[in-house]
Amino acid sequence: MDRHATFLRDVPRVFLEDCLVGLFEDYLSSAEFCSDRFEVTEAVNVLPFFRRGMIEARLRENAAKHAAMKCVCEPDESGFWNHTVLTVGDCMITQSTARHAGAPIRSSQARLAYSEPDNQKYLNDSFKPVTPSRKGFVYGILAHGREPREKFFPAFAHFVFPRRNLDGFHPRPIDLFAMFPETVRRCTSGIFEERHDTLERHFEHI
């Protein structure tokens, strides 16, 4: 199966670009939110949680623009954390941070289940196939992260296709930076750059 081709066939291109723009916005907005409400020492502790919440909500917001896309929030195995799952065509999408481009994705029961060939059986009732024989989805994870010296812009954004048991990745991830270079340029200049520089000054001693 050519996961790369299937993903680009079924997932709207404008959704992919919206995901990229959303990451730049949410990396900045979450840091601004935390810096406005907490001392710097506490802001750096809570920032990853606010950022995750904004990115999860943005995925659902972007999916709602497309009639063919379905989305739902699912609890993890502990019942404490929720994660957003999208489906469109033959594809399923979640998101996760990664330490660097190509780094392993943190394991969870949900991701392990979604990486199975028959992953359709693990979805919420609203996603379950009309007929039990429906084939599994191509599972793509929006993997994103920052670099140690760059706190407020994402350093990469790839849709990766994990192998079963999260044992590495299938070939040909989709690099959103390479796919939309003008969007990256727009999201790292002008008002985005001004907001970024303000945050750097605020957090410069951390």
Side-chain angles (χ1 to χ4, degrees):
M1 176 193 300
D2 189 337
R3 288 168 171 78
H4 180 103
T6 299
F7 201 84
L8 291 181
R9 181 197 70 197
D10 289 356
V11 180
R13 182 180 174 89
V14 66
F15 172 82
L16 298 177
E17 186 171 18
D18 282 347
C19 285
L20 179 60
V21 174
L23 286 176
F24 277 97
E25 178 61 42
D26 293 337
Y27 270 59
L28 286 173
S29 293
S30 56
E32 289 168 339
F33 181 93
C34 292
S35 67
D36 286 346
R37 289 160 177 79
F38 301 99
E39 294 293 329
V40 173
T41 46
E42 283 69 50
V44 295
N45 291 333
V46 300
L47 175 55
F49 302 100
F50 279 92
R51 183 168 57 227
R52 179 186 184 276
M54 288 183 172
I55 293 169
E56 292 276 324
R58 177 88 60 176
L59 275 181
R60 298 193 296 274
E61 177 185 310
N62 289 338
K65 301 174 186 176
H66 305 276
M69 299 191 85
K70 296 181 180 181
C71 66
V72 69
C73 272
E74 291 275 47
D76 70 0
E77 58 271 22
S78 71
F80 179 76
W81 285 104
N82 294 303
H83 62 275
T84 297
V85 190
L86 311 179
T87 60
V88 57
D90 290 328
C91 300
M92 178 198 308
I93 295 169
T94 65
Q95 70 83 29
S96 178
T97 55
R99 290 188 178 276
H100 55 80
I105 298 295
R106 187 176 66 253
S107 181
S108 71
Q109 287 298 319
R111 293 188 186 112
L112 287 168
Y114 300 155
S115 72
E116 290 288 323
D118 56 350
N119 52 19
Q120 78 278 7
K121 72 183 184 183
Y122 296 104
L123 291 175
N124 177 282
D125 286 344
S126 65
F127 283 172
K128 284 183 179 176
V130 176
T131 57
S133 61
R134 190 202 195 288
K135 62 185 178 182
F137 291 97
V138 170
Y139 178 37
I141 300 175
L142 174 57
H144 56 89
R146 59 183 184 83
E147 296 175 342
R149 290 178 294 178
E150 176 49 78
K151 297 182 178 70
F152 310 115
F153 281 153
F156 60 90
H158 297 165
F159 275 99
V160 296
F161 307 110
R163 296 185 185 276
R164 191 175 190 179
N165 296 321
L166 304 179
D167 185 21
F169 302 108
H170 293 283
R172 302 178 68 206
I174 295 170
D175 181 347
L176 297 184
F177 278 47
M179 192 173 184
F180 302 107
E182 283 303 307
T183 302
V184 174
R185 183 196 61 76
R186 188 174 73 248
C187 290
T188 53
S189 60
I191 188 63
F192 282 89
E193 187 176 24
E194 292 172 16
R195 292 166 64 192
H196 174 277
D197 291 350
T198 297
L199 287 166
E200 279 209 324
R201 289 192 293 272
H202 184 79
F203 286 91
E204 64 182 343
H205 298 303
I206 296 295

